[in-house]
Amino acid sequence: MTSKEIRAQVPPMIIWMADATIKEARRGITGKTGWKDIKRHPYNIPEVEMAGEVLGRMFNECAAGIRQALIDMPEEMDGVHDYSNLNYFDEFVASLEKRHTANLREADWILERC
């Protein structure tokens, strides 16, 4: 699915929350978090782990694929700066499509109650 198709099916608040999660993960990947801790591989940064779990509830993709798509996004998308020609959500979907198809996850009501 393209970003435009996803936007047609998903409420704007969900897109906004996904965009905020993607920005936070990109901030961690580029090191603009303000934390002065040990250097880790971007895959293991807490912000990226959290984004993998959160976005995994939206997309039919495992957390590992989502983490890699976050890492593969353009370098200038550092999570701090907004660009008029680049949208974090749209670029994430494009990055996810390069690896797999970006499909929305269908709700599993039995698992959602837990």
Side-chain angles (χ1 to χ4, degrees), residues 72-86:
D72 293 341
M73 287 176 65
E75 190 65 34
E76 64 269 10
M77 301 191 90
D78 59 4
V80 177
H81 301 95
D82 285 329
Y83 300 97
S84 59
N85 60 339
L86 294 175

Side-chain angles (χ1 to χ4, degrees), residues 2-110:
T2 65
S3 177
K4 189 174 183 178
E5 292 171 336
I6 291 171
R7 287 177 184 274
Q9 292 184 19
V10 177
M13 180 58 86
I14 302 293
I15 300 294
W16 179 80
M17 291 174 13
D19 191 63
T21 302
I22 293 164
K23 282 183 181 178
E24 197 64 35
R26 289 298 302 169
R27 208 173 283 137
I29 290 168
T30 59
K32 307 245 180 183
T33 60
W35 294 97
K36 304 288 186 215
D37 62 348
I38 59 171
K39 181 68 176 163
R40 290 180 270 189
H41 188 278
Y43 189 86
N44 297 322
I45 293 175
E47 292 90 340
V48 178
E49 291 179 5
M50 178 265 311
E53 296 299 321
V54 171
L55 295 169
R57 295 189 174 271
M58 182 176 179
F59 291 98
N60 190 24
E61 178 64 53
C62 65
I66 289 173
R67 288 183 196 178
Q68 195 59 50
L70 287 166
I71 292 169
D72 293 341
M73 287 176 65
E75 190 65 34
E76 64 269 10
M77 301 191 90
D78 59 4
V80 177
H81 301 95
D82 285 329
Y83 300 97
S84 59
N85 60 339
L86 294 175
N87 180 293
Y88 282 86
F89 181 77
D90 295 338
E91 287 296 321
F92 169 73
V93 171
S95 180
L96 194 60
E97 283 183 324
K98 287 178 189 173
R99 299 183 49 73
H100 304 285
T101 56
N103 292 322
L104 293 174
R105 184 173 75 87
E106 293 185 27
D108 185 347
W109 297 113
I110 295 170

